[in-house]
Structure formats: structure tokens, C-alpha cells
Amino acid sequence: MSTAPELDTTRFGSGQAVQRLEDAQLLRGEGRFADDFAPGGLAHLVFVRSPHAHARITGIDKAAAQALPGVLAIHTGADLAAAGIQPLPGPGMKRADGSPGAGPARRALAHEVVRFVGEPVAAVVAETLQQARDAAEAVWVDYEELPAVVDVRGALAALAPQLTPAAPDNIAAEMRHGDATATAAAFAQADHVVRLDVTNQRVAAVTLEPRTLLAWVAPEDGRLTLRMSTQMPSGVKKLVCACLGLTSEQVRVVVGDVGGGFGMKTAAYPEDLATAWAAWQLKRPVKWVAERGEEFLSSAHGRDVQSHAELALDAQGRILALRLHSQANVGAYPTATGVAIQLLIGPWVQTSVYDIAPIDFRFQAVLTNTAPTGAYRGAGRPEAIFLMERLMDEAARQTGLNRVQLRRRNFIAPEQMPYTNAMGQTYDSGRFEHVMNQGLALADWEGFEARAAASRARGLWRGLGLATFLEWTGGNAFEERVTVSIGADGVVEVFSAVNAMGQGIATSLAQLVVDAFGIPLTQVRVVLGDTDRGDGFGSAGSRSLFTGGSAVRIGAERTIEHGRELAAQALEASVHDVQYRAGRYQVAGTDLQLTLAELAARQPDARIFMDSTSAVAGPSWPNGSHVCEVELDPATGAVQVVAYASVNDVGRVVNPLIVGGQLDGGAVQGLGQALCEAVAYDTDSGQLISGSLMDYALIHADQAPPMVHQMDESTPCLNNPLGVKGVGELGTIGAAPCVVNAVADALARAGRADLAPRLQMPLSPGRLWSLLQLPQQQP
């Protein structure tokens, strides 16, 4: 056995800015997305969708369509109901009277009633995509149009159109949190009460890759295989099995490259069920690829919450209590995820980094004739933090207190950790004032006045915005499974059930393997996205590294220990005498040693294998301080973000390059919501009027400022062995309130503080210009 020189692996382990392993093949055009696969005998599926927001289906005539060339099958909601296809799960939670949460049954294809424009009514399968499109246009559906309602106010009005008899008031679910009596008493004693009405508008995920599904029945074993673009293959598999009446052994979900998810691809959609069922019936491959218009119509939207908030403070600016009432538009078919995001997950972080008690929260999930809402980057936390940070700035403005000092006065102190907030959530660590101090310094807060003067000289109003906040990560699923396999070639292959979707998780996991095994990065292979290899929760809630990475670390350590036992047997030594270092086992004090490859080759199946399931102790609580500057043109209402700086506590940083990219991307999405993005429905007809990229305003690269991000690693998470905290949603959560607070500051500095409480996203030029034309109101 020869002895090789030790390799320097420190350049590729955690803490290093390793370039993403995933990028090379993507840049060469060699990515493998679901639509890149075209097996022999492939058929194509196109959906017939409802043109009405609310209507009764009185008949479907398929005859003309079935007679067209190439048509293989046409399925309707009645066909699937007769076949026993079950609806997707409902909202969970409860209504105010204690009855179960209510919502219409969401079927793979609408049956008897359609409840939003774009809801799939029939599925047409044909030999070619064009034949399927032609046949879909030939399907004749008779509708009896019904009254529709698209917003919360209309849905809660007397005599509003009813979406389901189970919720005659259109409230799918409701939750109360806190102590109303104690909160009322605190407000009665307050020196200041600040009130604010906030709309967190509906937005769309707009992933580069639309939802895509290729389904086929494998001839060798008769199993249904789904190759698709999803963040959570195991979750999709469970829903497909439950709705189609198949066993877990009959279904496999495979995921390759995913062109973005942002939470929108975390569950099975009706279209997935219909496509899978078509393949199961035809016993041939069937593919559905959503068009961009279909994505706007029927993929899960995000946000859409109306809130009234009240903050009670004493004379010194100490917060005495927080009271709020939020009504979330969850669309026509409330999902467990969509409802929990607004009624539970968002409220978990509502008091944020501030020491606030008591609270009185009331949250309602409201049914409307719109597409369902669900997870979108941040999922409830952006809504909560936006409301809290807007309240803090308005409190400072209305009371005359300094906004930085107001925050200092109310921060949770490090010595209070672990800290349990008014929602019963326990923060394990955090130094919030310390992070804010660094953020202010990074942004040159004290030098702002000179920059504001320069802007004034050019006829522009400059504003300075601040957001200090935390978020919760973990997806409420703290267990994860990995398998580790070492072959006779010495390659360490790790399979994880977390999923890649453009965030670089495979690179970060590989770096953790390098840490554990002390081997070169080229000797590591990370495999993701195959339910036959293992089931797990998947990627959502910024949990991929926090939970999945921790599972990789523990799995690697268990594999090394198992290898130690195998090496002891092979080398005829006590296991206590066998040491592991940099890819080899050696008996202490001797030259007896085996490399990983040599040890694997000696095993019966020529590999060392470990199947490891582990759990972290609880969620992580990343936090940050984001500062931005804007210039507002009072003549046009146009806003330009001209500077953006942030300091972020994400615990231990595994890959600074990836973390920086996540913060950049997240912040840009937050800027988009603040400045331009909004899903809009016509209130009379229920038609989607932002159903294309000509109508839905995405932020452009020239609207994003240069960004500077710094990490504070001084406070590692105590709930996982890596000490990491989630980062994928932090930028989105901080950016929107930071930008809106900056615009409010610009207005106040220009003598229009009366307009600050009236700001509502998106801050488009037209909206701001109209606001500026209003007569000034006296305090």
C-alpha cells in the first residue's frame, strides 16, 4: 500500500467562495430540464381553461375535437370524478366557530363549477403539440355565468357571491393569537398609538422555467414515472399517490435542473394530476409544458394581504403592545400551505427583533374568485416584517422619536437569549443591535445629508430607508435523510432529498463532504431529485443547507465511523486504534493503511454505504439590517434606488459567493414588489388583467442598484451542527420595507410627511405622481 502526499482541501471546503459546480453545464447549454426529454411515442397535453371567474358548467361537447387528426384522449372533470380521482387536500386549520377550515374541492379538472379564470376544465392529449392545441380549441363548453368577487372587501361584504356552502361568509379559516384583554389594557395606558393600514399586494413568481411535467409508465415494471420541475419531489409523489389511488411503490418522481421555484413549485397542481392520469391511462409518455400566460393564470400567486395595525408606545418610545387584523386573499381553492403562511407562519415573526408583549392578532383567510395563493419567496415573513418595519418608521415620525433610537430602545438584548416571543417561538441566538450598528456604518448613514443635498441640487428628493428584522427558516420539517456511498474509485457520492432550483445547493453540500472526508472536491458527487433514491421534505423555507446540509454532515460522520469498523476488520486491528485522515484509514503507530477506494473495493458489493436520517433541534433565525437610498423625481413620481447595503447574520457561511448571490437575488425580488410588480384582476368581470409580461411589470437590471452585503458570523445557530442559518429569503424580506421606508423618508424631508402613511406598494411612477397631487393635510 503506497502512501500519497496529502492534498490541500482547504481551498474547497466550507467558508470558501467555491464557484458553483452546477454552472459549467448550464453555461454550455447542457442543462437537463424536464422539457429537454422527449422519449419515443411522446404525446402532448393541452388544457381547456375557463374564460369565466365563476360559472356553472352545463355541458361539454367533445365530439368535434375527438374527430380531429392525432387526438388520443379528451378528459373532463366528470371523467376523472367517475374514475375516482380525488381532489387535492383542503385548507386545514379551523374557522372561527371551531368547524374545519372550508373551501371548494379542488379537482384535477373542474367539475360542475369553475371558480377562477384559467381553471382547467378539460385535458386534450394528441400526437403533436399543435394537434392538441387545435383540438382544445374545438372543445365546446357551455357555461352559466355566476357572480364573481376578486378582492377581500367584496368577498366579506353582505350578499357577496358565495364560493362554497361550507363557508357562507367566504372565510376559509381564522386564527386569533395573544391576549386581547391585556393588549387593550396596554393601549389604554399608552402615551402614543400609531395606526397604519397596509396592503401587501398579490405577486407572481415568474420563474424562468414554467411548470413542466413528463409522465410515462415504465414498460419494464409498469410504474408511473414523473419527470418534472419541482422543489419537493417527495411531496408531489405523496399527493399523486393519494389522488390517483396508487401505492408509493407505483410512482417515481425524478427532477433534473429546475429553472427557479421561489416556493411556487412546492406542491402538486391539478395539471400535474391530470397529466399523470393521462399517461397512466394511455400507457405512453405524455408531456405538458405551461405557457407563460398559463403560469400567470393558474400557478400559485403570493402575498395579497390587507392589514390594519396598531402600535402602543410609552412616552420614551418603549413598545407596550401590538394589535393587528389581517385578511388574506387565498383565492378560490385554499391550500394548507397558503392558509398556514398567513395565519400561522407570518405571525411567528410578526414581532421580529423587538421585545413586544402583549399582542392581539386576528388573521382571516378569505375566499375569492382568483387563483389560489401559496408560498412565494419568504412566505408570510415578508408580509409580517413589512408591516412591522413600516410601523416602526411611522411611530418614529408621528412621535418625533429618532427611528434608529426607537429600534435600539426595543431590541431584544443578547442576554435575553434564548428568547421566546409572544407567539411562543424561541430564538436561539441573535445580536440585533450589533448587526444594525454594522449596517449603519456600511451604508455611511451619517454621511447621508451631503448626498441628499447633491440630489436636491438636481431637483430630486432623496430618502434613506432602514429595515431591521429577522425571519424563521426550516419549513417546519427538521428531519432529513441522506445516503452516502463510497465506490472502488474512491468517489464519495451523497444523495439528498433537498432539491436544486438554481440556488447552488449541490456545491454547498459538496463542500461539506470535503470538510468531513478531507478529500478533493473532484472526488465528491452530489445526487439530488429522485424519489427512488430516497424520500425527504425537499427544498422550501430556506431549509436546504440548514437541514439538508446538517444531514449531510451527520451522514458523512456516520459513514466515516462505519468505515473505521470495516477498516479495523480488514487490517486486523482494534477499532480504537484505527484513525481516519484525508481519505485513508491507518492503524496508529504503524504503516498499515487503506484508502477509501481500497476499503470500498474489499466490500462484498464494492462500496461503503450509509443510510442516515437525522434532525436538527429547531428552526434558525437569520436576521439583518438593510439600508437603502432612493431618489424620487417629484415631477414624474419615478423612484430610483441608488444605494443598497446590508449586514446579515446567517450564522456560519459555507460559501460566501452563493450567499451573496442569494442576497442579491432576494433583494431584487423585494425591490420588484416595492416598485412595480402586481397581479391585478378586473373587479367586475374577474378577468386577469396582468396576464403577460407586457402587463406584469418585472424589475429590470437597470433598476437594481449596486449592492454591498456583509456577513456577521459571530452568532452561529445553536440548533444545528453546522451553525448555519437560512439565507434564501432574507434579501426579499428586507428589501421591500427598506425601499418603501426610504420613499416615505424622501417625502417627509420634502415636507410631505402626511403622504408617508398612505404609501402602498407597488410605488409605480403613476401611483406616486397621483399621490403627490393631493392637497397637504395638517397633522
Side-chain angles (χ1 to χ4, degrees), residues 408-480:
R408 291 192 199 282
R409 201 156 294 169
N410 289 283
F411 277 141
I412 300 160
E415 53 268 23
Q416 291 177 267
M417 298 294 172
Y419 173 87
T420 301
N421 71 10
M423 284 292 298
Q425 296 296 304
T426 300
Y427 308 162
D428 64 298
S429 60
R431 301 171 65 200
F432 308 129
E433 185 174 9
H434 175 69
V435 169
M436 185 183 72
N437 289 341
Q438 295 177 79
L440 298 178
L442 181 64
D444 186 22
W445 184 275
E446 297 301 326
F448 174 77
E449 292 301 337
R451 297 188 293 277
S455 296
R456 280 195 302 273
R458 292 183 288 114
L460 302 175
W461 298 354
R462 197 175 187 107
L464 181 61
L466 170 65
T468 56
F469 62 98
L470 58 64
E471 77 132 328
W472 162 96
T473 73
N476 218 28
F478 303 124
E479 184 178 274
E480 198 57 80

Side-chain angles (χ1 to χ4, degrees), residues 230 232-240 253 266-268 531 535-538:
T230 181
M232 299 174 67
S234 296
V236 169
K237 174 183 171 180
K238 290 176 183 177
L239 285 173
V240 168
V253 177
T266 52
T531 58
D535 282 317
F537 186 79

